[in-house]
Amino acid sequence: GVNSAKGCYPFSVPLAVPDDFEKYLWQNQANDTLSESPFYTADKTAQYRITVYDKYNCKASDKMTMVVFPVPKTEIEGNKLICGEFDSELSVKISDAPESVWNYPGSFKWESNASINFSNKSHEGATITAPDWGEYEIYYYLETLDGCTTGDTFVVQFQPMPTSDFIFVDNPDDECKGYSREVLYTGNATKDATFFWDYGGAKLIDSLDWN
C-alpha cells in the first residue's frame, strides 16, 4: 500500500485492506490498538501498522507513516467602528501551532478590498489608514514553513463624528411668537441617525397648522 502521506491539518487518509481475513489489528508505533476493522481513517502524525490473520492464523503486516502539519488559527482583533478618525490599530491572535512554524520573514501578508494603507505591519498587528469614510474589509494571510496557509477577514467602518448644531428659525426678538419657537437641526447627521431633543421641560409639537 501507500508507505507515507503528508498534509496540512485537518488531514486524513482512509486505510483499507482486503476484507477476506479472519482478524485485523491496526496499531501505532507505541503498539496501541486503534481498530480491529478492515478499515481505518488515519488523521494524526504517526506510524500506522496493520496486521491481518487468515483462517490458519497465519499473519501478514504492512505499515504507513503519516505527518499532519500544524496549521495556526488566526483571529484579527480591533475596533469595528471608528468615529471621527481615519486610523486604527489591529492585532492578530495566533494559536493552535508553535511559533517556530510561522514566525519567519515573509510569512504574513496584509491586504484590503480598497485603498487602505497599512503601516507598522508585523505577524501580530498593523496600523490601518482609510482613504475616506466607509466600510472596509481587511484580509490577513499566514503561511507556515510547511506551506500550510491560513488567514482571517475583518470588517471595519470609519464614520464621521456627527455634530449637534441647531438654530432658531424664527426671529427671537419677535414678541408676537408667543410661547412657541421653531428649532432646526443644522448638523451633518443623515436621516438614518437617531435624534434626541431635550427642551428642558418644554413640550415638543411636531407640527401645527391652521386647523
Side-chain angles (χ1 to χ4, degrees):
V2 178
N3 292 325
S4 64
K6 298 179 180 180
C8 299
Y9 178 87
F11 176 67
S12 62
V13 175
L15 305 177
V17 293
D19 59 359
D20 54 355
F21 291 101
E22 291 293 313
K23 183 180 176 182
Y24 305 85
L25 180 62
W26 293 95
Q27 295 174 300
N28 57 19
Q29 67 271 26
N31 293 324
D32 298 323
T33 299
L34 304 175
S35 174
E36 295 182 354
S37 164
F39 310 99
Y40 184 75
T41 300
D43 59 0
K44 295 179 177 64
T45 295
Q47 183 185 82
Y48 295 89
R49 304 169 182 171
I50 176 65
T51 304
V52 295
Y53 298 83
D54 64 11
K55 62 182 180 180
Y56 303 108
N57 207 33
C58 297
K59 68 178 182 179
S61 61
D62 196 9
K63 62 184 178 181
M64 189 270 286
T65 300
M66 189 169 85
V67 177
V68 180
F69 298 122
V71 178
K73 179 181 178 182
T74 58
E75 183 180 2
I76 302 175
E77 298 178 332
N79 292 328
K80 295 186 176 182
L81 175 61
I82 312 300
C83 297
E85 297 180 4
F86 290 108
D87 298 321
S88 182
E89 299 289 335
L90 297 180
S91 61
V92 181
K93 182 180 179 181
I94 304 175
S95 58
D96 294 0
E99 184 175 340
S100 58
V101 305
W102 54 261
N103 191 4
Y104 64 94
S107 66
F108 68 93
K109 184 168 56 175
W110 288 93
E111 292 183 352
S112 76
N113 66 336
S115 54
I116 286 280
N117 181 64
F118 293 92
S119 57
N120 302 322
K121 294 183 290 184
S122 71
H123 289 89
E124 300 177 71
T127 301
I128 58 174
T129 303
D132 200 356
W133 306 120
E135 182 177 278
Y136 300 90
E137 289 186 0
I138 308 298
Y139 312 116
Y140 175 80
Y141 304 97
L142 186 65
E143 183 173 352
T144 70
L145 288 169
D146 304 304
C148 303
T149 57
T150 184
D152 193 24
T153 300
F154 188 81
V155 179
V156 58
Q157 289 193 43
F158 293 88
Q159 298 295 346
M161 189 72 74
T163 58
S164 55
D165 304 320
F166 65 90
I167 60 172
F168 289 103
V169 177
D170 52 329
N171 184 357
D173 297 325
D174 185 358
E175 297 179 357
C176 296
K177 290 294 292 183
Y179 293 100
S180 66
R181 300 294 304 274
E182 184 179 354
V183 181
L184 176 66
Y185 172 70
T186 58
N188 63 0
T190 66
K191 292 182 179 180
D192 295 329
T194 300
F195 295 88
F196 174 74
W197 290 95
D198 181 4
Y199 291 101
K203 184 178 180 181
L204 172 63
I205 301 176
D206 289 333
S207 62
L208 189 66
D209 58 31
W210 292 109
N211 296 323

